[in-house]
Amino acid sequence: MHPFGEGEFDVLISQFGLMFFDDPEGGFANLHKALAPGGRAAFMTWRSLEANEWLMMVGKAAARHVDLPNLGGRVGGPGMFALEKPDEMTALLTGAGFTQVAVEPVTTTILLAGGGTLDESLDFLLGMGMVRGLLGSLDNHARDAAISEIRITLGEHYDPGIGVCLGAAGWLATALR
């Protein structure tokens, strides 16, 4: 944990990073300490796996061939979905000393890989650590079958003029010191 100075910052902004704290209570207390009195915090974190179409389509294809690991879903340990429950996130922030905590749902469509071709979007997904880990445990036949299913699903969401658009859902949390 980085030893921030007391009241060193006026604003804290994080995009999809704070759910990976090994010690969330300590991490958020450290960030609270780093904010000046009246300082503002705002961060995005993922909602559940089920709420994120862009991940579910990969998970469904892989699940036909490999057991899916626990991806988080709990405050108290690191993971992509460690902050998916707004009540637990609110308790974590207030426990660290933050006030005026608000957690709002954000639902959007993401342009996978920033646009481009279907193959570029597939390559982007296959390059993600989570996807590499899921597919890396498969034999060649099962891996090829899962990739084929993923490519078919991506194709259903592909617009040649835009790219692959898929649903994404997160939480926007704001708070004050």
Side-chain angles (χ1 to χ4, degrees):
M1 190 172 320
H2 183 78
F4 290 113
E6 178 86 25
E8 195 171 338
F9 301 100
D10 294 321
V11 177
L12 158 70
I13 300 171
S14 176
Q15 180 177 316
F16 303 109
L18 301 181
M19 61 269 204
F20 296 106
F21 283 146
D22 285 331
D23 172 12
E25 291 84 2
F28 279 101
N30 188 41
L31 293 175
H32 180 266
K33 178 188 86 165
L35 281 173
R40 298 172 9 154
F43 67 92
M44 286 293 301
T45 188
W46 293 113
R47 286 190 2 221
S48 69
L49 174 64
E50 296 78 17
N52 281 281
E53 177 185 36
W54 75 279
L55 291 169
M56 282 298 294
M57 58 77 109
V58 174
K60 285 178 182 177
R64 295 191 227 326
H65 306 282
V66 65
D67 291 333
L68 296 179
N70 180 349
L71 298 174
R74 61 179 170 68
V75 172
M80 189 170 179
F81 302 106
L83 298 175
E84 73 175 350
K85 298 176 183 164
D87 292 343
E88 291 180 6
M89 192 178 356
T90 299
L92 180 63
L93 290 165
T94 57
F98 287 96
T99 62
Q100 297 184 34
V101 176
V103 180
E104 301 293 328
V106 176
T107 304
T108 190
T109 300
I110 61 171
L111 182 59
L112 199 60
T117 68
L118 180 58
D119 287 333
E120 289 169 338
S121 296
L122 178 63
D123 288 345
F124 173 80
L125 273 180
L126 296 177
M128 294 178 65
M130 179 181 70
V131 176
R132 281 194 323 267
L134 283 174
L135 301 180
S137 65
L138 300 175
D139 64 48
N140 287 341
H141 177 72
R143 183 179 185 280
D144 290 346
I147 290 172
S148 178
E149 289 180 42
I150 293 168
R151 189 175 199 292
I152 289 167
T153 302
L154 288 177
E156 294 168 357
H157 298 273
Y158 179 65
D159 179 327
I162 299 172
V164 175
C165 295
L166 293 164
W171 296 112
L172 173 60
T174 58
L176 297 178
R177 173 171 182 192

